[in-house]
């Protein structure tokens, strides 16, 4: 009788352990466009906090060790990635994820107040801070400030992009309705733009991107368009207009380019990103408003790395969603 009771207790313990074991959910298989068309975009995963930098095995170890405390996003804004590492600006600092080694850090917490746009150049992180009205250059390993720029000319540095070939940093100032171009050493080279709706004028330029030819792509949010300039800031053309149909914008917020030159524009009102070719033709739209996979609530930033991984800051859902462009 005692043996039966003992075995029953063992069985109960095993059932209880299985019930409390963390469930590692697999991301859903989502592709765009739908069959029978060839898939071009794949949903990969969702990142909500520091534990997502760790492998599933490490997550389970943390759970059973009782150390499952997690640093989560508060109000994420900007994003950049390089070599398996992801950096997300948030109130008071930068979330740093190294997925290869399962490491999470907070950078820049002693200097940053309201960081916005972020860009990477070699061993430096460039971060705009709208409260301090300047751009900081941080050591990518330690997070220490090694460079400051824009103290005199900047007001609201919202979007940043690096032109590695020309060693330049492009900054969109949303309040001054102007684009500033610096050397990556912090020297102001030139600026262009003013408030207005004509070609070369802006209303709340929110984000920028640079292609391999040095062309500068600006999300001209208040004019519901993307403007394209050459490396000297000379106007080339515009894409998009206000509307509620594919190819139009309601609240464009972010921009990125993949390895084949496609233009991705993030729209906070639509809760999606649209993909265009250089001629402005609409190729695809991905996402809708909501809080499920591939759904967004006021997305604020998009970044595409050299492996065509697409990172999107889903601001009100306090997370980052990851997609993959399929060639």
């Amino acid at each position: 009788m005692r043996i039966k009771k003992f075995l029953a207790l063992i069985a109960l313990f095993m059932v209880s352990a299985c019930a409390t074991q963390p469930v590692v959910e697999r991301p859903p298989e989502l592709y765009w466009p739908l069959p029978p068309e060839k898939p071009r975009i794949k949903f990969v995963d969702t990142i909500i906090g520091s534990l997502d930098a760790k492998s599933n095995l490490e997550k389970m170890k943390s759970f059973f060790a009782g150390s499952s405390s997690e640093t989560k996003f508060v109000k994420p804004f900007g994003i950049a990635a390089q070599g398996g590492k992801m950096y997300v600006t948030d109130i008071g600092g930068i979330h740093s994820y190294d997925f290869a080694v399962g490491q999470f850090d907070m950078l820049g917490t002693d200097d940053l107040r309201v960081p916005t746009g972020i860009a990477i150049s070699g061993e430096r992180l460039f971060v705009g801070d709208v409260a301090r009205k300047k751009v900081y250059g941080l050591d990518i390993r330690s997070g220490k400030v090694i460079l400051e720029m824009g103290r005199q000319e900047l007001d609201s540095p919202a979007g940043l992009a690096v032109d590695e070939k020309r060693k330049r940093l492009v900054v969109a100032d949303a309040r001054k309705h102007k684009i500033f171009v610096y050397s990556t050493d912090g020297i102001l080279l030139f600026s262009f733009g003013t408030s207005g709706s004509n070609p070369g004028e802006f209303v709340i330029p929110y984000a920028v991107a640079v292609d391999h030819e040095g062309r500068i792509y600006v999300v001209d949010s208040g004019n519901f368009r993307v403007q394209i300039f050459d490396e000297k800031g000379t106007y080339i053309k515009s894409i998009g207009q206000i509307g509620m149909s594919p190819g139009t914008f309601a609240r464009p917020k972010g921009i990125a380019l993949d390895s084949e030159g496609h233009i991705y524009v993030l729209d906070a009102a639509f809760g999606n990103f649209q993909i265009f070719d250089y001629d402005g033709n609409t190729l695809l739209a991905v996402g809708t408003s909501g809080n499920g996979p591939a759904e967004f609530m006021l997305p604020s930033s998009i970044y595409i790395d050299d492996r065509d991984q697409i990172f999107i800051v889903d601001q009100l859902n306090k997370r980052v969603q990851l997609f993959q462009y399929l060639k």
Side-chain angles (χ1 to χ4, degrees):
M1 184 64 69
R2 291 181 178 177
I3 294 177
K4 289 183 178 179
K5 286 183 178 180
F6 178 74
L7 292 174
L9 287 172
I10 292 295
L12 181 62
F13 173 78
M14 293 179 66
V15 171
S16 176
C18 291
T20 58
Q21 181 174 327
V23 177
V24 179
E25 296 183 1
R26 294 183 177 180
E29 291 284 331
L30 299 174
Y31 297 89
W32 295 264
L34 295 173
E37 299 294 327
K38 180 180 178 180
R40 292 296 186 181
I41 303 294
K42 176 185 177 181
F43 174 77
V44 177
D45 208 351
T46 298
I47 300 164
I48 63 172
S50 57
L51 289 182
D52 290 315
K54 299 181 178 181
S55 67
N56 289 334
L57 178 60
E58 290 298 320
K59 290 178 188 178
M60 293 179 68
K61 286 181 180 178
S62 297
F63 177 85
F64 286 116
S67 59
S68 57
S69 61
E70 185 172 17
T71 301
K72 295 187 177 182
F73 299 114
V74 177
K75 192 177 181 181
F77 184 92
I79 190 164
Q82 175 180 274
K85 298 179 182 179
M86 180 184 80
Y87 304 88
V88 182
T89 59
D90 203 342
I91 298 296
I94 303 167
H95 298 256
S96 169
Y97 290 77
D98 188 331
F99 296 102
V101 300
Q103 182 177 343
F104 170 85
D105 289 303
M106 287 294 296
L107 306 177
T109 54
D110 294 333
D111 301 284
L112 302 175
R113 289 177 57 193
V114 186
T116 50
I118 185 168
I120 302 174
S121 177
E123 297 301 311
R124 290 181 181 177
L125 287 173
F126 290 102
V127 185
D129 192 313
V130 295
R132 299 193 184 277
K133 299 184 178 183
K134 54 187 174 183
V135 172
Y136 291 97
L138 280 65
D139 180 86
I140 202 168
R141 293 179 296 273
S142 68
K144 293 182 179 180
V145 173
I146 55 178
L147 184 66
E148 295 183 15
M149 63 185 80
R151 184 187 298 272
Q152 302 299 321
E153 62 273 5
L154 293 177
D155 189 352
S156 181
L160 278 64
V162 167
D163 181 350
E164 284 287 11
K165 183 177 179 180
R166 294 160 188 81
K167 300 299 179 184
R168 291 177 174 181
L169 176 70
V170 182
V171 180
D173 193 307
R175 289 198 189 116
K176 285 200 170 180
H177 314 290
K178 188 182 290 288
I179 305 301
F180 293 89
V181 180
Y182 298 85
S183 72
T184 51
D185 292 327
I187 299 171
L188 179 61
L189 302 176
F190 63 93
S191 63
F192 60 93
T194 186
S195 179
S197 56
N198 292 320
E201 298 177 344
F202 307 106
V203 176
I204 314 177
Y206 224 89
V208 287
V210 181
D211 67 15
H212 295 299
E213 301 300 321
R215 290 183 291 246
I216 300 170
Y217 299 70
V218 181
V219 174
D220 185 10
S221 184
N223 285 318
F224 310 97
R225 63 188 179 185
V226 170
Q227 295 196 67
I228 304 175
F229 302 83
D230 68 14
E231 73 278 5
K232 297 179 181 179
T234 302
Y235 175 82
I236 299 175
K237 63 179 178 179
S238 296
I239 293 174
Q241 60 183 346
I242 188 171
M244 297 298 292
S245 59
T248 65
F249 303 123
R251 194 177 176 186
K253 290 287 287 289
I255 190 166
L257 308 171
D258 67 24
S259 63
E260 296 183 340
H262 301 124
I263 305 165
Y264 294 60
V265 182
L266 190 64
D267 198 298
F270 292 157
N272 72 1
F273 60 91
Q274 297 184 73
I275 306 174
F276 301 83
D277 64 18
Y278 183 75
D279 294 324
N281 299 307
T282 309
L283 304 178
L284 189 62
V286 177
T288 187
S289 296
N291 55 22
E295 296 177 349
F296 308 97
M297 294 295 292
L298 291 183
S300 60
S301 185
I302 181 171
Y303 185 85
I304 302 177
D305 69 9
D306 57 2
R307 294 181 290 181
D308 281 327
Q309 293 186 104
I310 306 161
F311 300 80
I312 298 178
V313 176
D314 186 7
Q315 190 174 73
L316 283 194
N317 285 324
K318 299 182 179 181
R319 63 186 182 182
V320 171
Q321 296 199 63
L322 177 60
F323 299 78
Q324 178 70 53
Y325 171 59
L326 308 172
K327 296 182 181 180

